[in-house]
Amino acid sequence: MSTETTDRHQLDRQIIERYAGQPSRIPAELIDRVKTLNNGRGPMLYALVDLNAEGKLQQGWLVLGHDELFYFASAEDTSPERVARSEIEAVTELPGLSSSALLFLRHDSRLPLMQVNYSRRQKQAMENIRFVVDQQLKGHTVSPEDSDRAYAESVSAKIKDAQSSLMSDQFQIMKRLLKYVLPYRKEVIIGFACALVYTAINLVVPYATKYLIDQVLTPMENGELTSEMATKISFVILGGLAVLYLVREICVWLRLKWLAYLGEYVAHDLRRDLYGHLQKLSLNFFSKKQTGSIISRVSSDTDRLWDFIAFGVVESTLAVIMLIGLGAMLIGLDWQLGLILVLPIPGYLYAFYRHSKHINTYFLKAWRKWSDVTAVLSDTIPGMRVVKAFSQEKREVGRFGERNQKAFESFKSVHDVWTKFWPMLMGTVQFVTLIVWAIALPRVFGEWGAPLSVGTFVAYLMYMGLFFQPLNTLGQLTRMLNRAVSSAHRVFEIIDTEPDPALSGERALVDDLAGDIRVENLTFSYDGVHETLRNVDFHIKPGEMIGLVGPSGAGKSTITNLIAGFYQATGGRIVVDGRDLSEVDVSSYRQHLGMVLQEPFLFHGSLLENIRYGQRDASLADVIEAARAANAHDFICKLPLGYDTVVGERGHTLSGGERQRISIARAILHNPKILILDEATSNVDTETERKIQDALNHLVRGRTVIAIAHRLSTLKQADRLLVMKNGQLVEEGTHQALLEIEDGVYRKLHDMQSELHEQFAI
């Protein structure tokens, strides 16, 4: 096991131990018992059985051995229930609302050989065992590499998908987020310096007021200072305050400007890194994530981080500095009154911390619900034609309304928690200020205690007014921090997703291709257990056209996806022109590869831009030549703006056949050495199929071609046909040679299609 795989396994185990409330692996004593009962061999797979027959919680274990199936009711169970795998003739699941049961059966018995009950959390681990047993019943042997890893991945997968369960340490996330600030030290220094000056001026004003009252107004009233001198000193002080106020407002302007710039820079860099990393992720990642969730992370989450970076970081730092400065000034003015206000500050800060931890769960749940809202939009808007075709507008409005309501309830919960906390805290602060008044007033009146001058008392009151500002800032910061941390976590979750190995690291560049493809003992599994392909071997010579045929689910598209480098083989290898595909730079390799898919995808833009997509520097003459070869030039010229005609999103303003011919023109202009055709002529009428087939005839010349087709008549030009069934290559040869195989898979498919054709012809 590689270091990378080991680290991922350790992380999965940590997630299970921290969030799932169940063991991250089977107890060691059970492994020893399995080895004792299974001729020294350990488990192939195992799963936690967390419910007993009555539906009560337990910690039992279902263990799949090489020859037997074991059920341990607990870790102390020394006499497990055992069933020989050879006796099992069927396995089925009885699903429920919150739990399910897995039944292992024999056809001649109504009672199951074994039944285990489990919650939804254990479903994937149980599915792994069920699949291996199913494959055994079909005559296939599946041997998982690592039972511990399979179990940890299956249990942690759902937890990792649930955003509310994966909150990392806030300090670590903030530390990582602040690394994006480091390149912009100038903006930070200017913004922080201006904010510091602003804070200092706010601390000076009350002290100047104290001086004006105690050293000017009171002496003048007592006759100790002439009116002229008092007026002169007062105007000097007021002039100084005017200058300070002017400087303060300039600092406010500079702070807002430079910190807003800082926030935009950081959000820009996060979006750049996030989108750039998305391009490096495999198709497996996108197949598991909803489009709306990804879009919200690139847009909404980075925007929330802008607000926090622009103001939250500096404001929170200054709030702490302000509290320290206020504490010093208050104690300096009068240590007794100062301590009354200063001593509770650690309690306030601890209350903020506890509240932040508490409200964090609500924020994460709310943002997950918000992702559900955007997911509905990303599903429905691109598929609006289907929605309207089936008159499902009310249903979609209801679906959106349901998720919107759940998001509303989640955000309302956030506000409920916040609005309960803040008045209680402010009430405590106000109570402390009343205590200050109760102690200060008798001293001002000279009734008891050390005398307190009016100027000192007024300054003290002004400082108390300022005292609420940093507390309010820190209080608001708890919400801002949780918003930022949850958003940062969602962004970093994608950035931390392991990129496609073929797009990372130093790999050999592919300058040119002849098109020689060798597939050697190819095995592939999408989930690590269920094998989609098993031990597939074939060789395609340069310039040869190969047809991939077989029933649905046979693994045809999986083979083309592996040859295109979209996924990495689980076992075996693909060798192109003598080079292992896993060792070359897949981006440079794909520059020599073209694909025409069953559902052609066109981007929102002009036809010219769509045809040029793979060759951005192609001339208009080259584009027209490619369009002519694809039988697309004539219908393009009939459009109002010709090649400058803008097609709607996904090309829905064109017919299916027109979109397909545009995609063929794009492939012709790309001029690939290896061409993959995946049902390129399906779902079109006969006339359109003829035009597309003529275009494909131009496209396949001089290239290595791999064509998938359910309609066998479209593969007449293929040099050889590869017949797939259940993930294995079962037949290989020419059309005529395969028809001569009695009871052959290809012959059955051909005869079936011939019969259907005759029936419809009649």
Side-chain angles (χ1 to χ4, degrees):
M1 189 185 299
S2 66
T3 303
E4 205 170 271
T5 304
T6 302
D7 292 342
R8 196 181 313 121
H9 175 56
Q10 291 297 326
L11 177 61
D12 287 340
R13 291 190 59 190
Q14 291 172 10
I15 290 172
I16 295 171
E17 291 170 358
R18 183 173 181 180
Y19 301 108
Q22 68 182 63
S24 62
R25 61 177 298 177
I26 190 171
E29 56 268 29
L30 289 188
I31 295 179
D32 293 337
R33 285 176 208 152
V34 170
K35 289 181 178 179
T36 302
L37 299 170
N38 200 30
N39 299 320
R41 293 182 293 183
M44 293 181 65
L45 285 173
Y46 58 81
L48 179 70
V49 182
D50 55 357
L51 298 174
N52 62 18
E54 290 76 33
K56 296 181 180 179
L57 292 175
Q58 66 166 26
Q59 281 198 358
W61 294 90
L62 179 65
V63 180
L64 180 68
H66 291 76
D67 302 311
E68 289 184 279
L69 191 65
F70 304 91
Y71 169 44
F72 294 89
S74 66
E76 293 76 29
D77 189 354
T78 56
S79 301
E81 189 177 340
R82 303 167 64 178
V83 172
R85 289 178 59 176
S86 58
E87 294 182 31
I88 301 173
E89 296 177 341
V91 56
T92 186
E93 180 190 29
L94 295 179
L97 292 176
S98 60
S99 63
S100 300
L102 199 61
L103 280 66
F104 299 91
L105 308 166
R106 190 162 50 200
H107 292 315
D108 60 359
S109 175
R110 293 184 179 182
L111 296 176
L113 295 168
M114 181 184 293
Q115 175 178 336
V116 293
N117 301 285
Y118 53 91
S119 67
R120 296 171 64 181
R121 180 176 288 165
Q122 318 307 328
K123 182 176 177 60
Q124 184 57 53
M126 292 292 180
E127 282 290 326
N128 292 344
I129 295 176
R130 178 184 177 182
F131 174 78
V132 174
V133 175
D134 268 335
Q135 291 301 303
Q136 172 194 332
L137 298 177
K138 294 177 182 178
H140 307 309
T141 301
V142 179
S143 299
E145 296 180 0
D146 189 324
S147 59
D148 289 340
R149 182 156 58 93
Y151 169 76
E153 287 178 354
S154 63
V155 177
S156 65
K158 290 294 183 182
I159 304 174
K160 288 189 285 189
D161 285 341
Q163 297 298 327
S164 61
S165 299
L166 259 185
M167 191 59 219
S168 302
D169 180 69
Q170 287 189 355
F171 176 76
Q172 293 300 324
I173 286 184
M174 294 310 305
K175 182 179 177 182
R176 183 173 179 184
L177 184 59
L178 291 178
K179 289 182 180 179
Y180 279 86
V181 178
L182 292 179
Y184 306 104
R185 294 179 180 85
K186 181 180 74 173
E187 287 78 7
V188 174
I189 292 172
I190 293 176
F192 193 87
C194 290
L196 200 60
V197 172
Y198 171 83
T199 302
I201 291 174
N202 284 339
L203 291 174
V204 169
V205 173
Y207 194 84
T209 303
K210 170 188 177 301
Y211 182 86
L212 188 64
I213 293 173
D214 287 347
Q215 304 300 323
V216 179
L217 296 180
T218 301
M220 185 186 71
E221 290 180 355
N222 296 333
E224 300 174 5
L225 192 66
T226 64
S227 176
E228 293 78 8
M229 182 60 67
T231 301
K232 183 177 180 181
I233 296 173
S234 297
F235 276 104
V236 170
I237 293 175
L238 291 176
L241 289 175
V243 172
L244 289 177
Y245 285 143
L246 178 62
V247 172
R248 186 179 70 175
E249 295 311 310
I250 292 174
C251 287
V252 169
W253 169 64
L254 290 174
R255 182 192 63 170
L256 292 175
K257 174 183 176 180
W258 287 100
L259 291 183
Y261 285 173
L262 172 66
E264 290 293 355
Y265 287 142
V266 172
H268 165 272
D269 292 350
L270 276 169
R271 286 192 294 267
R272 177 200 62 204
D273 291 353
L274 182 57
Y275 189 75
H277 191 74
L278 283 171
Q279 304 303 318
K280 298 178 182 179
L281 299 179
S282 67
L283 289 181
N284 192 41
F285 170 83
F286 294 98
S287 66
K288 295 179 179 178
K289 293 288 184 182
Q290 288 186 306
T291 304
S293 174
I294 297 175
I295 292 174
S296 70
R297 300 183 197 209
V298 178
S299 55
S300 302
D301 286 321
T302 54
D303 189 59
R304 292 188 195 107
L305 291 173
W306 171 89
D307 189 41
F308 178 75
I309 292 296
F311 302 105
V313 176
V314 173
E315 293 291 342
S316 60
T317 305
L318 288 176
V320 174
I321 295 175
M322 185 75 161
L323 283 176
I324 295 173
L326 282 171
M329 296 298 290
L330 289 169
I331 293 175
L333 285 173
D334 189 283
W335 70 271
Q336 293 176 329
L337 295 179
L339 287 178
I340 294 174
L341 276 179
V342 171
L343 288 179
I345 289 179
Y348 300 149
L349 297 180
Y350 180 74
F352 288 141
Y353 169 76
R354 294 294 302 172
H355 173 65
S356 176
K357 299 286 285 186
H358 177 60
I359 202 173
N360 174 59
T361 304
Y362 292 89
F363 264 109
L364 287 170
K365 183 179 179 181
W367 296 133
R368 188 178 61 182
K369 297 300 182 185
W370 181 249
S371 290
D372 291 341
V373 173
T374 58
V376 174
L377 293 175
S378 64
D379 281 344
T380 307
I381 293 176
M384 192 58 71
R385 178 175 296 184
V386 177
V387 173
K388 292 185 176 298
F390 288 89
S391 299
Q392 293 297 304
E393 293 91 342
K394 289 184 178 180
R395 174 180 175 273
E396 291 301 334
V397 169
R399 191 160 70 104
F400 180 84
E402 180 184 353
R403 297 198 181 186
N404 190 32
Q405 181 65 26
K406 289 182 179 179
F408 166 74
E409 295 294 340
S410 294
F411 280 107
K412 196 170 76 168
S413 298
V414 171
H415 298 309
D416 286 342
V417 173
W418 167 251
T419 52
K420 288 178 183 177
F421 166 77
W422 188 247
M424 291 178 61
L425 182 74
M426 286 296 100
T428 303
V429 176
Q430 296 290 356
F431 180 73
V432 172
T433 60
L434 288 177
I435 294 176
V436 171
W437 276 84
I439 295 176
L441 285 176
R443 293 177 56 191
V444 174
F445 299 151
E447 294 180 359
W448 58 268
L452 186 67
S453 70
V454 175
T456 300
F457 183 59
V458 171
Y460 203 91
L461 293 179
M462 294 180 70
Y463 280 126
M464 278 201 304
L466 291 175
F467 192 76
F468 289 98
Q469 179 183 338
L471 286 179
N472 183 62
T473 299
L474 292 174
Q476 296 292 339
L477 182 68
T478 59
R479 288 196 299 171
M480 189 181 294
L481 177 65
N482 277 287
R483 286 165 60 98
V485 169
S486 61
S487 293
H489 169 71
R490 286 162 50 82
V491 170
F492 290 140
E493 183 192 26
I494 291 183
I495 293 178
D496 290 340
T497 300
E498 184 180 359
D500 188 336
L503 289 173
S504 59
E506 295 295 329
R507 292 172 178 266
L509 297 177
V510 179
D511 298 325
D512 194 13
L513 281 181
D516 183 273
I517 303 174
R518 288 183 179 273
V519 173
E520 301 175 353
N521 198 30
L522 188 64
T523 300
F524 180 73
S525 170
Y526 285 101
D527 58 12
V529 176
H530 308 156
E531 290 185 336
T532 308
L533 297 176
R534 291 186 300 277
N535 304 320
V536 177
D537 284 277
F538 60 83
H539 177 215
I540 305 175
K541 298 177 182 177
E544 191 175 16
M545 181 176 180
I546 294 296
L548 278 175
V549 298
S552 296
K556 303 184 296 297
S557 294
T558 301
I559 288 177
T560 58
N561 284 334
L562 290 169
I563 292 176
F566 292 144
Y567 299 93
Q568 295 292 300
T570 307
R573 62 177 188 160
I574 299 174
V575 180
V576 180
D577 287 2
R579 287 181 287 189
D580 192 328
L581 194 58
S582 64
E583 298 175 356
V584 302
D585 179 79
V586 73
S587 181
S588 64
Y589 163 70
R590 288 186 189 139
Q591 292 177 8
H592 307 283
L593 183 141
M595 299 188 76
V596 179
L597 305 176
Q598 179 178 358
E599 289 293 333
F601 186 95
L602 300 185
F603 296 94
H604 181 84
S606 69
L607 291 173
L608 180 64
E609 292 170 335
N610 272 282
I611 296 175
R612 273 179 175 167
Y613 189 74
Q615 293 288 121
R616 309 302 294 175
D617 57 348
S619 66
L620 179 59
D622 292 335
V623 172
I624 293 175
E625 182 180 352
R628 287 184 186 277
N631 281 339
H633 179 70
D634 291 342
F635 88 78
I636 292 175
C637 291
K638 293 177 182 178
L639 297 173
L641 298 177
Y643 284 87
D644 291 325
T645 301
V646 175
V647 296
E649 187 178 2
R650 305 191 182 201
H652 282 168
T653 56
L654 302 178
S655 70
E658 288 170 341
R659 291 199 304 271
Q660 190 64 284
R661 279 178 276 169
I662 293 298
S663 71
I664 293 173
R666 182 166 57 195
I668 291 174
L669 187 64
H670 187 49
N671 193 27
K673 294 298 179 64
I674 298 175
L675 177 65
I676 295 174
L677 305 176
D678 191 348
E679 294 288 349
T681 60
S682 64
N683 303 326
V684 295
D685 58 77
T686 304
E687 178 62 23
T688 303
E689 180 184 359
R690 185 185 62 79
K691 293 179 180 179
I692 293 175
Q693 195 61 54
D694 289 342
L696 290 175
N697 292 339
H698 287 283
L699 181 57
V700 300
R701 292 172 186 166
R703 313 179 199 280
T704 299
V705 181
I706 304 168
I708 298 175
H710 286 105
R711 205 177 304 173
L712 303 181
S713 59
T714 61
L715 296 176
K716 292 179 180 179
Q717 298 183 59
D719 298 305
R720 278 184 299 137
L721 299 175
L722 305 179
V723 185
M724 301 293 299
K725 183 179 179 181
N726 295 328
Q728 292 182 304
L729 179 60
V730 293
E731 294 172 6
E732 180 178 356
T734 63
H735 167 76
Q736 193 60 42
L738 292 175
L739 287 179
E740 295 174 1
I741 302 176
E742 292 187 13
D743 296 327
V745 175
Y746 182 79
R747 181 170 176 173
K748 289 180 181 179
L749 290 172
H750 182 271
D751 292 345
M752 187 184 302
Q753 290 191 11
S754 298
E755 291 175 8
L756 288 172
H757 179 72
E758 290 175 1
Q759 290 176 5
F760 282 106
I762 294 174

